Amino acid sequence: MPRAFLVKRRSPPPAIRNWDELPDEERADTYIPDTIDCILKYVTEDSCSNSSTGDPAGDSPERSISDSGSCNDLITTPPHNTDQTGGVTSPLSGDTPKIEDKETENLDEKHLSPRSKIKFTTGLCNEELYSCEICAKRFRLQRMLNRHLKCHNQVKRHLCTFCGKGFNDTFDLKRHVRTHTGIRPYKCDICNKAFTQRCSLESHLKKIHGVQQGYAYKQRRDKLFVCEDCGYTGPSQEDLYLHVSDSHPGSAFLKKTTKKLAAILQNKITSVLQMSPRPDEDQ
DNA sequence: TATTGCTCCGAGATATGT
DNA sequence: ACATATCTCGGAGCAATA
């Protein structure tokens, strides 16, 4: 789906946004506004009063049904309480309510999930959708809503050890950390310039070299296995595992590798070692 | 087996540097 | 003005869990 159809929340609620201004010990602290209930109540009432017709304005430019006529995972509707950039603002402070992640889960249970699950009927489909009570976005899958709720949570779970900036997503953090480590896995074959993200490389190729990447969807999703310790890239997870275990035995990557995968890899390593003659046997 | 969470990713927007 | 860097957030695959 073209992202132009999505409500963009270009955020920066100025106060807390700058993580550098917070001492480390406060960055990940739970922050539950005393007024959270009020906020939720407000939003709920607001939702009720405004969204009974779905689109109070009636002339929303946002799309609710895809061109194909089928239901989308995300059906975008205008947020009822947004700032100019589409961001959600607290009715009290103008800032997005800050909710620690665990609290967000409670929030899901206590305030959002049951009441958010609605039977949403359109002319083209009739299916249960999960609605965010904060911004009124609707999702076909509960897990999509659950994850979306994190967007409204200013306390990020994943903190950069270099600058303290927080992210909702581990991969976003990993990608961000590359800006500190200088690891650039995506290299331009033509001029050898390297980039931290594939889309930067693609943009470069297109604008500078006039090369349009013709990736098929599957190719696009091919993973690039990057060693975040040294920038080594491998064609497979096994390859990366072998590299890391060999070159960076203390790496967190090894600790994160699932036992299952580690066992599979260990078996492979063992079988390879068994097949190759041991040096002392050669002699 | 169905659901959920984690992770990787791309698309697009915005920020920054030259 | 343009190129590049960085960020946000939804889509999707897969593994873990109920």
Side-chain angles (χ1 to χ4, degrees), chain A residues 39-234:
Chain A
I39 294 167
L40 289 165
K41 189 158 179 271
Y42 179 97
V43 171
T44 304
E45 286 169 355
D46 190 47
S47 308
C48 294
S49 61
N50 285 343
S51 61
S52 56
T53 57
D55 180 6
D59 56 354
S60 164
E62 300 292 342
R63 309 269 302 270
S64 60
I65 298 296
S66 72
D67 288 340
S68 66
S70 62
C71 296
N72 283 335
D73 279 359
L74 165 62
I75 295 186
T76 309
T77 53
H80 5 274
N81 192 23
T82 61
D83 61 25
Q84 280 188 321
T85 60
V88 178
T89 55
S90 156
L92 302 175
S93 64
D95 287 340
T96 308
K98 292 185 284 294
I99 308 159
E100 207 278 336
D101 205 54
K102 254 197 151 46
E103 290 303 314
T104 308
E105 287 166 15
N106 293 336
L107 192 70
D108 296 351
E109 288 175 23
K110 287 192 295 191
H111 298 283
L112 294 173
S113 293
R115 286 182 292 161
S116 299
K117 191 177 182 181
I118 58 173
K119 194 87 169 181
F120 188 76
T121 306
T122 72
L124 297 169
C125 61
N126 182 0
E127 115 180 46
E128 265 179 334
L129 293 174
Y130 298 86
S131 171
C132 172
E133 291 201 358
I134 298 173
C135 69
K137 282 183 185 171
R138 298 190 185 98
F139 300 87
R140 191 165 50 80
L141 300 173
Q142 171 85 60
R143 65 175 175 151
M144 299 302 291
L145 172 62
N146 289 348
R147 205 215 9 205
H148 164 80
L149 287 169
K150 291 187 173 76
C151 300
H152 297 307
N153 180 357
Q154 275 212 331
V155 178
K156 313 296 183 186
R157 286 194 309 167
H158 307 284
L159 301 181
C160 173
T161 53
F162 292 91
C163 66
K165 189 171 169 51
F167 297 85
N168 285 324
D169 191 309
T170 50
F171 185 74
D172 285 341
L173 170 62
K174 188 192 282 187
R175 195 155 54 180
H176 163 82
V177 165
R178 288 176 188 162
T179 67
H180 297 295
T181 61
I183 288 171
R184 293 163 177 269
Y186 301 97
K187 278 202 178 110
C188 172
D189 288 336
I190 299 170
C191 66
N192 274 338
K193 195 168 168 53
F195 303 86
T196 57
Q197 297 185 22
R198 192 199 294 265
C199 66
S200 296
L201 170 61
E202 286 186 13
S203 174
H204 165 84
L205 280 167
K206 189 178 173 185
K207 287 179 180 174
I208 304 303
H209 304 301
V211 177
Q212 183 83 42
Q213 296 295 94
Y215 290 126
Y217 177 75
K218 276 287 180 189
Q219 286 175 297
R220 238 175 214 291
R221 290 196 66 85
D222 274 353
K223 285 183 188 177
L224 186 59
F225 297 91
V226 181
C227 172
E228 301 295 340
D229 290 318
C230 69
Y232 169 87
T233 58

Side-chain angles (χ1 to χ4, degrees), chain A residues 238 242 264-278 281:
Chain A
E238 292 169 31
L242 290 172
I264 292 169
L265 292 170
Q266 196 56 50
N267 282 340
K268 286 199 173 184
I269 294 167
T270 308
S271 60
V272 167
L273 289 175
Q274 283 174 347
M275 285 176 68
S276 59
R278 286 158 58 182
E281 286 174 345

